[in-house]
């Protein structure tokens, strides 16, 4: 994908990978970037950065994030999901149900809802686009005693990528 005049929504833009990606795109392209999750958006004074500070706990929230970005940027060419979290620092055997559910919501459900909302927009714009969902090495070995639910969600994200890639291909949408 050529980066000239593209619109890219990045969730998790305040983290190390998100901030580095935003900085790289700002230094090497004329992209318009939606920086979601940044309390102090990267390159806050750069007019190409659209700060999006909206919670996204539910499907409706995820759709609203994509809709807000599309309204401000004039559409969406790429979605990069780098947001994620581990909610419990103890062993998985002692993990409360609410923390397990939050790990699944943040690390599996939200990437799906964000990708689906973005892909619907991309198809509505005539097709074409990119979706990148962040995985982790933990998915390959099931995580540790303190990160197994996170690893389970990330393994599910790998499955999402495969399924969404099949669905997106006829529309020119590449999913990685």
């Amino acid at each position: 994908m050529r980066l000239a005049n593209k619109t890219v929504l990045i969730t998790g833009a305040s983290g190390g990978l998100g901030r580095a990606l935003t900085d790289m795109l700002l230094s090497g392209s004329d992209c318009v970037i939606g920086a979601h999750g940044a309390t102090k958006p990267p390159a806050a004074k750069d007019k190409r950065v659209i700060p999006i500070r909206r919670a996204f706990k539910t499907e409706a929230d995820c759709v609203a994030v994509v809709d807000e970005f599309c309204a401000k940027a004039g559409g969406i060419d790429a979605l990069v999901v780098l947001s994620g979290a581990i909610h419990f620092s103890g062993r998985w055997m002692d993990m409360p149900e609410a923390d397990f559910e939050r790990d699944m919501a943040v690390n599996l459900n939200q990437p799906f809802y964000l990708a689906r909302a973005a892909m619907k927009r991309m198809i509505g714009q005539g097709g074409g686009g990119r979706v990148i969902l962040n995985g982790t090495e933990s998915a390959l070995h099931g995580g540790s005693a303190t990160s197994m639910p996170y690893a389970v969600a990330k393994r599910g994200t790998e499955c999402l990528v495969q399924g969404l890639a099949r669905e997106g291909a006829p529309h020119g949408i590449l999913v990685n």
Side-chain angles (χ1 to χ4, degrees), residues 1 3 5 10 14 19-20 22 30 33 35 81-82 85 115 123 127 139 152 162 169 175:
M1 174 192 265
L3 294 175
N5 300 312
I10 303 169
S14 63
R19 183 171 295 277
T22 301
D30 60 356
I33 300 166
V81 178
L82 297 173
I123 292 167
V152 167
Q162 293 172 339
V175 182

Side-chain angles (χ1 to χ4, degrees), residues 6-122:
K6 297 297 181 186
T7 57
V8 181
L9 173 57
I10 303 169
T11 68
S14 63
L17 285 174
R19 183 171 295 277
L21 177 59
T22 301
D23 290 344
M24 181 191 74
L25 290 174
L26 289 173
S27 69
S29 72
D30 60 356
C31 288
V32 174
I33 300 166
H36 179 268
T39 53
K40 289 186 175 182
K45 297 180 189 233
D46 194 309
K47 292 179 182 174
R48 295 174 292 162
V49 175
I50 299 169
I52 299 178
R53 294 183 193 100
R54 176 185 288 275
F56 59 102
K57 292 183 178 183
T58 66
E59 179 180 11
D61 294 339
C62 293
V63 171
V65 166
V66 172
D67 287 349
E68 179 181 341
F69 175 68
C70 289
K72 291 179 178 178
I76 185 167
D77 295 305
L79 169 69
V80 181
V81 178
L82 297 173
S83 49
I86 296 175
H87 293 97
F88 185 71
S89 60
R91 296 183 57 80
W92 66 268
M93 288 288 280
D94 302 319
M95 180 180 232
E97 177 183 0
D99 288 334
F100 182 84
E101 294 298 330
R102 278 192 295 182
D103 271 9
M104 293 302 119
V106 169
N107 299 302
L108 181 60
N109 300 356
Q110 289 171 4
F112 170 72
Y113 296 138
L114 288 164
R116 180 164 66 179
M119 289 174 71
K120 284 181 180 181
R121 287 294 193 131
M122 291 171 187

Side-chain angles (χ1 to χ4, degrees), residues 115 119 122 129-133 157 160-169 172-176:
M119 289 174 71
M122 291 171 187
R130 304 291 184 264
V131 175
I132 299 172
L133 304 180
T157 300
L160 274 178
V161 166
Q162 293 172 339
L164 294 173
R166 272 192 311 274
E167 296 298 318
I173 300 170
L174 178 68
V175 182
N176 292 90

